[in-house]
Amino acid sequence: MNFELSGEAREAEGRAEALLQAEAAAVAGLPGLDGTGLRRLLLAVQRALPGEAGAEVAARLALARASPSLLLGVEATRHLSVLLEALGPRALPEAERDALRRGERIGAVALADAAGAGPARLEVDGGGWRLTGTKSFVTNGPLGDWIGVVAGSGGREALCLVSPRDPGVRLGERMELMGLDGLAVSSLALEGAPLPAARVLGPFEGRPVAERYAGEADLSVAVAAAGLMRSVLTAAKGHALSHQRDGRPVFARQEVAFKLAEVLALTEAAELICHRAAWLRRTGDPEAATVARCAKVFCAEGAERAAGACLQVTAGEGYRRGTATERAWRDAKGLSLCGTTAEVARMAIADDLLSRA
């Protein structure tokens, strides 16, 4: 296998790095950006990296190293665009569809129903539909121009396209999260929202919407975690080289060197599995979904290990609020909770493994 990045991937990575340098002040202040500032930054990134080039793992890793939150916000728009292209590109007028594809609109996908609320329901209403339900965590919810809502109708699954301006659509306040501070997340309530027939894709047999979205989202979380691992390793290495403990450079201590060596091994493996998972999805390999779950589990758990090890290396200085290692420690826990949980992913991986025996 050739591990060299393609020319397209290198070009996308270069554009991402140039954009991040130009937007360095906004990225550094990402946790404190209000909705207007965050929307401007997301649109700038999306416009600079549209389409397939923006989906290259190399460019996505560059974004994730700067901010996992920024990467997840950009990916939420891409997820909606991918679902629409696969299931019903004519759900939006051509001008809006092209604007979403070019990154000139912000998108979101609402999958998880609120605990105790029951699944979102889609019911026929004359020549159209009505949508009722509550979604708990919607990434880009407070900023989205279009939100794809996964709902059920007669035991089948549908993707419903709603705008925050539609009647019967109500978004909650932006949530305060323990980590991933630059991510805009809210709840979504749908109170018998009327929808024209064109904005409902399906209903489909099986779970084509949820399964396709889960594969995309799991890979996005894996990339975010791999980027976090690389950035926290850089911060811990810099600390170990520039600080002394008991008259010796921190890096000279074997226990510190071993920790950083382990984090590097985890990081290199995480980046490789992200590239492989993306390649399998691109080629339509039947194992693509399973490898995406493997990537999510390995990278998210690896990010927690890496953040913990690097926090141990930076000691008291790294434990201060606002340091790179402190943020990484909080963000890593958030990434482990995003997408398919490790427990559910492991069961699905095992089921696929047994079915291929």
Side-chain angles (χ1 to χ4, degrees):
M1 178 181 286
N2 182 4
F3 291 99
E4 285 292 322
L5 294 178
S6 67
E8 183 184 30
R10 287 191 181 280
E11 181 184 351
E13 182 183 43
R15 287 202 307 274
E17 290 173 347
L19 174 67
L20 291 167
Q21 185 174 359
E23 294 284 358
V27 174
L30 188 61
L33 288 182
D34 61 12
T36 301
L38 181 55
R39 180 180 173 85
R40 186 204 66 79
L41 180 59
L42 283 175
L43 287 172
V45 176
Q46 291 174 180
R47 284 193 295 263
L49 300 168
E52 286 303 309
E56 285 285 353
V57 171
R60 294 155 79 184
L61 282 171
L63 291 178
R65 290 170 195 142
S67 169
S69 301
L70 180 59
L71 185 277
L72 292 180
V74 170
E75 289 290 273
T77 295
R78 189 178 68 82
H79 294 156
L80 179 59
S81 184
V82 167
L83 286 174
L84 291 181
E85 288 298 319
L87 302 172
R90 301 190 187 283
L92 282 176
E94 185 176 0
E96 278 297 294
R97 185 171 71 247
D98 290 344
L100 183 67
R101 188 186 300 116
R102 291 193 302 266
E104 296 170 358
R105 299 289 186 271
I106 292 179
V109 178
L111 175 65
D113 296 292
R121 302 189 319 277
L122 183 65
E123 299 169 324
V124 176
D125 180 34
W129 300 83
R130 284 195 178 272
L131 182 60
T132 303
T134 306
K135 300 292 183 177
S136 50
F137 296 94
V138 183
T139 297
N140 284 356
L143 310 174
D145 297 299
W146 296 102
I147 303 173
V149 180
V150 181
S153 175
R156 298 188 297 167
E157 186 179 72
L159 180 67
C160 310
L161 198 60
V162 305
S163 164
R165 297 174 294 280
D166 287 342
V169 176
R170 182 166 52 84
L171 287 161
E173 294 295 320
R174 181 175 171 180
M175 297 180 185
E176 291 189 14
L177 305 176
M178 187 177 85
L180 300 171
D181 297 325
L183 202 61
V185 179
S186 70
S187 61
L188 172 66
L190 302 150
E191 301 162 342
L195 290 177
R199 290 230 228 125
V200 175
L201 309 182
F204 305 99
E205 296 293 342
R207 303 184 69 230
V209 183
E211 289 176 0
R212 187 178 187 95
Y213 171 70
E216 295 286 345
D218 284 344
L219 182 53
S220 296
V221 174
V223 171
L228 181 150
M229 292 162 73
R230 181 68 68 178
S231 62
V232 75
L233 173 61
T234 300
K237 176 186 170 183
H239 174 94
L241 289 172
S242 61
H243 287 68
Q244 291 195 351
R245 193 177 300 163
D246 298 331
R248 297 172 57 197
V250 172
F251 199 92
R253 296 182 173 275
Q254 187 181 72
E255 65 273 18
V256 171
F258 277 13
K259 276 187 170 59
L260 295 179
E262 180 185 9
V263 174
L264 177 59
L266 285 171
T267 302
E268 292 288 346
E271 291 179 356
L272 281 174
I273 197 172
C274 288
H275 281 287
R276 175 167 169 74
W279 177 72
L280 290 174
R281 290 192 73 76
R282 207 160 47 239
T283 58
D285 191 282
E287 291 189 85
T290 295
V291 175
R293 293 187 187 102
C294 291
K296 194 275 177 177
V297 172
F298 180 84
C299 295
E301 293 185 349
E304 288 196 80
R305 289 173 60 188
C310 290
L311 188 57
Q312 198 72 25
V313 168
T314 56
E317 183 168 326
Y319 191 64
R320 291 185 295 110
R321 174 74 68 173
T323 62
T325 45
E326 181 267 343
R327 285 194 305 271
W329 193 73
R330 290 186 291 111
D331 289 352
K333 175 49 71 176
L335 292 173
S336 74
L337 302 174
C338 292
T340 308
T341 64
E343 295 80 8
V344 172
R346 281 188 167 88
M347 287 301 301
I349 292 166
D351 287 345
D352 183 68
L353 177 65
L354 291 172
S355 70
R356 295 175 186 276

